[in-house]
Amino acid sequence: MQETRLDTARIRAARRVIDPIFLDTPLYRCEAMEPDLGCRVSIKLETANPVRSFKARGTEVVASLLADNGPRAVVCASAGNLGQALAWSGRGRGLDVTVVASRFAPKAKLDRIRALDARLELVDGDFDTARERAAAIARADGIRLVEDSLDIETCEGAATIGLELVDTVPSFDAVLIALGGGALATGVGHVVKALAPDVEVICVQPLGAPAMTHSWRERRVVTTDSTSTIADGVAGRRPIPAVLNDLLLVADDAVLVQEASITAGMRMLLDHAGLVVEPSAALGIAAILEDRDRFAGRHVVTIVCGSNVDVDAYHHWVGAAQLPSTEPPANRSRVP
């Protein structure tokens, strides 16, 4: 494998600075879902922790480095989960954390950022607008800007999930990874391709937020003017070139799924696994629902990456969810 920005030795070292509460998360086969999906499915559960997402694996590495030798004030842009994670990790290490987010982000995520003692600034726009504002604050105040996916620590923290997968699962054929900015996909993908190269790494993104998938397919950065998806955690418009370069080296495929499949996946995870998840966490199940033939008879691992969701919105989505037909949607495409 060609070299990414990530380093497997650093990833192993990251486990020593990440709070153990975020490590060795549950991994188990969910047989109850298998009749509907037509394949063996194992769940890697990243929601049973104080910030209810995988993001703290990365922020623990960032905050540890800053606490040892770096500025005591940091700022980040967040769709909600990174902000919570950085606030949690920073609070425990005496860092002054500012989070910039869209005022349209889920209220549950914004409330939790405030509860973790971070300063929260809201912008009238989407995540990429928040990225611009966070960068401006960092320049004006001379403080550290933490950029998810661009900062290698966020990728290598997420990559510790990959270590746990290849060290624990006796054999699996594919791993399905939610694709947003790319930290989770490049991190886990790097480890899987380095240590279990025969496993297929498949990234999944909503049809309404396809920038990184289009970029992967065209092997160049492709931006979009807007996004339209309930999966707010992966709704970026402007991929980061360095992250795309890593993704091109570790991803075997990138697929887009419809909103109806995302809500159906959320409903399946509730009904058959007892899990309340945010839309981004159901992307892997959505991908199987839309292409059952591809996964038939295989053992698939899906990373359930977050559960920060507004209760009212969740009930609306899950209450309206229906299983898609076995025929792939006409407007869904996959590039070999």
Side-chain angles (χ1 to χ4, degrees):
M1 185 183 76
Q2 291 178 264
E3 291 189 0
T4 68
R5 296 179 300 144
L6 288 78
D7 179 81
T8 304
R10 288 200 307 261
I11 295 165
R12 293 192 183 281
R15 286 182 55 87
R16 296 195 290 270
V17 301
I18 297 171
D19 190 310
I21 201 168
F22 300 108
L23 297 174
D24 301 312
T25 51
L27 173 65
Y28 56 94
R29 185 173 167 190
C30 188
E31 294 183 53
M33 287 197 296
E34 294 178 358
D36 284 332
L37 296 177
C39 61
R40 286 182 293 160
V41 179
S42 290
I43 288 172
K44 180 63 168 167
L45 187 64
E46 292 295 310
T47 64
N49 62 59
V51 298
R52 301 197 298 194
S53 83
F54 77 94
K55 292 289 188 182
R57 290 179 183 255
T59 60
E60 283 287 278
V61 181
V62 172
S64 177
L65 291 173
L66 292 177
D68 290 341
N69 183 24
R72 307 300 296 183
V74 296
V75 59
C76 75
S78 175
N81 287 346
L82 178 75
Q84 290 180 68
L86 187 60
W88 194 94
S89 298
R91 185 178 67 175
R93 293 172 174 81
L95 304 182
D96 179 14
V97 177
T98 297
V99 178
V100 184
S102 167
R103 67 177 66 256
F104 306 110
K107 183 176 182 296
K109 295 182 178 183
L110 300 180
D111 288 346
R112 186 59 181 155
I113 291 170
R114 294 187 183 98
L116 289 167
D117 300 330
R119 174 176 170 264
L120 179 62
E121 180 174 324
L122 301 179
V123 297
D124 290 316
D126 60 10
F127 170 72
D128 286 291
T129 306
R131 279 174 62 185
E132 294 172 357
R133 176 57 184 156
I137 291 173
R139 289 192 299 269
D141 296 348
I143 62 177
R144 167 69 186 271
L145 173 64
V146 176
E147 288 201 73
D148 197 19
S149 304
L150 179 59
D151 284 5
I152 199 64
E153 297 87 359
T154 62
C155 303
E156 293 182 340
T160 58
I161 297 171
L163 290 178
E164 292 167 20
L165 287 177
V166 299
D167 288 346
T168 307
V169 179
S171 64
F172 59 103
D173 302 304
V175 58
L176 294 164
I177 310 172
L179 178 60
L184 183 62
T186 60
V188 174
H190 171 92
V191 171
V192 169
K193 285 305 173 187
L195 303 179
D198 291 336
V199 172
E200 190 176 20
V201 174
I202 305 171
C203 304
V204 190
Q205 211 168 25
L207 193 64
M212 186 63 98
T213 296
H214 287 331
S215 298
W216 180 86
R217 291 176 178 178
E218 297 190 25
R219 304 188 68 84
R220 64 179 181 86
V221 170
V222 177
T223 62
T224 60
D225 294 331
S226 62
T227 60
S228 179
T229 179
I230 62 172
D232 60 286
V234 294
R237 295 184 287 111
R238 302 171 188 168
I240 298 170
V243 182
L244 173 61
N245 290 340
D246 290 337
L247 191 68
L248 289 169
L249 294 173
V250 301
D252 295 300
D253 202 358
V255 301
L256 300 172
V257 295
Q258 297 188 108
E259 299 295 289
S261 301
I262 298 172
T263 56
M266 294 169 69
R267 181 60 184 263
M268 286 192 71
L269 286 163
L270 175 64
D271 289 346
H272 299 309
L275 298 175
V276 174
V277 305
E278 61 188 84
S280 301
L283 288 170
I285 301 300
I288 302 173
L289 286 170
E290 291 200 4
D291 202 351
R292 288 178 176 88
D293 288 346
R294 176 179 189 176
F295 299 102
R298 303 175 75 191
H299 183 189
V300 179
V301 174
T302 183
I303 301 171
V304 175
C305 55
S307 64
N308 291 296
V309 63
D310 286 333
V311 173
D312 290 343
Y314 179 83
H315 284 306
H316 172 73
W317 295 328
V318 170
Q322 294 183 348
L323 288 181
S325 70
T326 56
E327 292 297 323
N331 63 346
R332 180 183 181 273
S333 60
R334 174 162 58 90
V335 175

